[in-house]
Amino acid sequence: MSAIAELPQKRRNRGENRDNKAAYVFLLPWLVGLLVITIGPMVASLYLSFTDYNLLSAPHWIGLQNYVAMYHDSRLINSLKVTFTYVFVSVPLQLALALIIAMALNRGMRALPFYRSVFYLPSLMGASVAIAVLWREIFGTTGLVNQLLLKIGVHNPPGWIADPSTALSTIILLHIWTFGSPMIIFLAGLRQIPTMYYEAAAVDGASKWTQFVHITMPLLSPIVFFNLVLQIIGAFQSFTQAFVVSGGTGGPADSTMFYTLYLYLQGFGQFRMGYASAMAWLLMIIIAIFTAVNFLVSKYWVHYDD
Amino acid sequence: MTGAGCGTGSSGGAAASSGGKTVVRLAWWGNDVRNPLTAKAVAEFEKENPDITVQQEPGSWSSYWDKLATQFAGGSAPDVIQMDESYLTQYSNNGTLLDLKTAGLDTSNFSSATANMGTTSKGTFAIVAGINAPAAMANPKVFKAAGVAIPDDKTWTWSDMAKAAQKITANSPSGTFGTQNIASVDFMLRLWLRQHGADEYSGTKPGFTAAQLSPFFAEALALQNSKAAPSASLTSQDMTTSQDQSMAATNKVALSYWWSNQVTSLDKDTGTTLQFLMPPTVTGSAKDVQLYYKASMLWSVNKNSQVQAAAVKLVDFLVNSPTCGKILGTERGIPANSKVLAAVTPQMTATDKQVSGYLQGIAPDLGTPIGLTPPGSSNANYATYESNLIFGKSTPQQTAQDYLTSLTTALQGKS
């Protein structure tokens, strides 16, 4: 009897194995990519981070020297400051703007798909070189913004990207402008919230603000959390905008020297590949810490329905 | 070997042959003028050497060095490499380049100064492809519009230059200035130091003291404050724009400072014929200008090339063949080989003649030749200190001290 009972069981197992194999075959392109393009280079860079390697002669082991040197590198410390400022200013502002626009669009307007596309557009282009070049032209010393300022009678307009005190703000502005992708996610989240909650609250005399604080925010918190984690990780890795806007220098006066840009300049400008690898690992650790803290703190403010 | 295939596919850097032909890979950074000229020269070389095929790998300056370093790391570097003076020591010290003298490259028609422009303490790892020199360039359009006469470069001093520039700014429409900021130009700093008995480098160490450098920064700041030179943000922007968008190319400054071979494109961009001037001196005598010749670019051969003989043959053709010289002209600088120069001279354009005339004209007033730039110098991050200076975040004294410290550290960091 047991033999009979086992028979279909086994057959099912065999079937599952076959399914699994098929799954692995379908996964193969991704798996090869993961192993060859991601894991392989990561392991290699971990090794290189303990070596002195200039690309031209073989790497040689120097232990923790790269990591010690990083601690004493004032330009690296400065690049961390620039990057942290960028992350802490641009991410909250961008998410706030995304949420505001998403709520405005969630009022059931007629041309919603049109507006959604219009607001999403900068996201698609924002990280591209073309937009960074455009930004350079708009915020140049004799660019569009300053031409307008001169027209309306501002005699000494700032240099924007050319001035160390305003260059980073200009790049932050570029990042905030690309609020489209978190906005789309917010919009999807907002539409999941049943309207009856708001109706019930309205009947009880709750103001719009109370509704926002007590209904929208708690129910939207998983989405906010998701956007926050993604945007922080993304912001730490920003490279293109600073590279293009500053002409690959991180200038003026290192004011737009993002961490990744400094890493690139060390690796490919100075041929200090060992040092650049060590820098990459520090960045990974920083991002990992931020993500972990995010997840830990999320217990206290993110509400899951179920 | 008839019907030999043409090797256009990637050879991967190993001993490459295609249908019995030796394949030599030639890499250079170029532009729309240089690339077709080089292609034409290569075609001529292939005609003279039917057993060799040259695989051309043109690139742009901005990505050239990333790519080359990566190729060396991966063992797939090209055989013949267009080299820059500032990278030469780095590559040769790491044993990646072939000693061209030992390999038998003929340099008999080069003057000894030019033949050794690619020579380090360990050997001759590159041969000069063309010569240039620092020059001040006066834009006659801007001078004329401001009603200022172009100064006499045999006698002008730094303060004559400042006075002329101030006058030009005062007499020009808003947004046009007398001179480019001198602190933005590497060779102006160097000439200043040389005119004050110092130099940028002494061997592999800085060749100056902070006290020798700070008056230069003070001079640059004075030019900016007196409006002889553009505002800090205009200068800052000018440092990172492409040459054709620069203030000099768009007729926004009367005096600017360039390597002599850059005049070709500047003439085109400004729509005028810029006038060459020797940079100003401290004493008011051109004898003290301390000018020098520099290799505008060089040719090197990969030491691990599997087709070394053919690669050296190609370099020999590029620098020693009058036929090749006639094709390439002066686009890579004035040829250093006297026979090639003689062949090129009759067909020179007006601009070429101007450049060549300038280089010959300064010959009696040359200072001591410069040594190779020590590796690591680019890590000194000059642009940051310059920005601090022009935006008033640091005094000339402080800037000089900070830059010297940074340069010392940067040079020590490299062996």
Side-chain angles (χ1 to χ4, degrees), chain A residues 86 94 120-135 171 173-181 231 234-235 237-245 258:
Chain A
Y86 175 74
Q94 191 208 38
Y120 187 62
L121 214 54
S123 269
L124 287 175
M125 309 183 298
S128 73
V129 171
I131 290 299
V133 170
L134 179 72
W135 219 249
I171 296 182
L173 198 65
L174 171 59
H175 183 73
I176 295 172
W177 180 59
T178 61
F179 60 84
S181 73
Q231 293 300 322
Q237 298 175 345
S238 296
F239 175 80
T240 317
Q241 296 128 332
F243 182 83
V244 177
V245 171
F258 283 23

Side-chain angles (χ1 to χ4, degrees), chain A residues 53-57 75 136 139-142 159 161-165 246-247 249 252-254 264 266 268-272, chain B residues 62 65-66 69-70 72-73 87 90-91 94 96 232-234 236-237 240-241 376 378-379 381 383-384 387-388 391 393 414:
Chain A
Y53 179 44
N54 64 7
L55 278 176
L56 301 178
S57 43
R75 288 186 81 192
R136 223 187 127 91
F139 286 97
T141 310
T142 50
I161 57 163
D163 189 327
S165 55
S246 73
T249 62
D254 278 357
Y264 166 80
Q266 286 297 315
F268 285 102
Q270 308 303 328
F271 299 131
R272 296 173 72 191
Chain B
S62 54
W65 300 103
D66 293 4
T70 318
F72 266 110
Y87 285 88
Q90 176 133 37
Y91 276 91
N94 283 298
T96 56
S233 52
L234 282 173
S236 169
Q237 179 165 285
T240 54
T241 33
S378 58
N379 203 19
N381 195 24
T384 297
S387 295
N388 287 341
F391 282 103
K393 297 193 164 180
K414 292 283 168 180

Side-chain angles (χ1 to χ4, degrees), chain A residues 32-112:
Chain A
V32 169
L34 178 75
L35 291 175
V36 176
I37 303 174
T38 309
I39 306 272
M42 273 182 79
V43 173
S45 88
L46 182 61
Y47 163 70
L48 288 176
S49 75
F50 296 106
T51 64
D52 180 12
Y53 179 44
N54 64 7
L55 278 176
L56 301 178
S57 43
H60 78 96
W61 188 266
I62 53 167
L64 286 170
Q65 273 183 42
N66 284 327
Y67 291 91
V68 176
M70 275 159 63
Y71 182 75
H72 296 288
D73 184 347
S74 61
R75 288 186 81 192
L76 183 143
I77 309 287
N78 172 63
S79 77
L80 278 176
K81 275 184 206 153
V82 170
T83 309
F84 274 87
T85 312
Y86 175 74
V87 171
F88 286 130
V89 175
S90 73
V91 170
L93 287 179
Q94 191 208 38
L95 288 183
L97 184 65
L99 183 57
I100 291 169
I101 304 280
M103 289 182 63
L105 290 183
N106 194 35
R107 292 177 166 190
M109 50 178 64
R110 215 186 292 161
L112 177 65

Side-chain angles (χ1 to χ4, degrees), chain B residues 40-55:
Chain B
K40 236 171 115 185
V42 160
E44 179 63 29
F45 175 75
E46 286 173 332
K47 213 167 81 190
E48 288 181 19
N49 299 276
D51 55 330
I52 302 177
T53 300
V54 178
Q55 187 180 315

Side-chain angles (χ1 to χ4, degrees), chain B residues 199-213:
Chain B
D199 204 335
E200 199 169 5
Y201 310 107
S202 151
T204 57
K205 289 197 181 81
F208 58 91
T209 63
Q212 282 168 319
L213 181 59

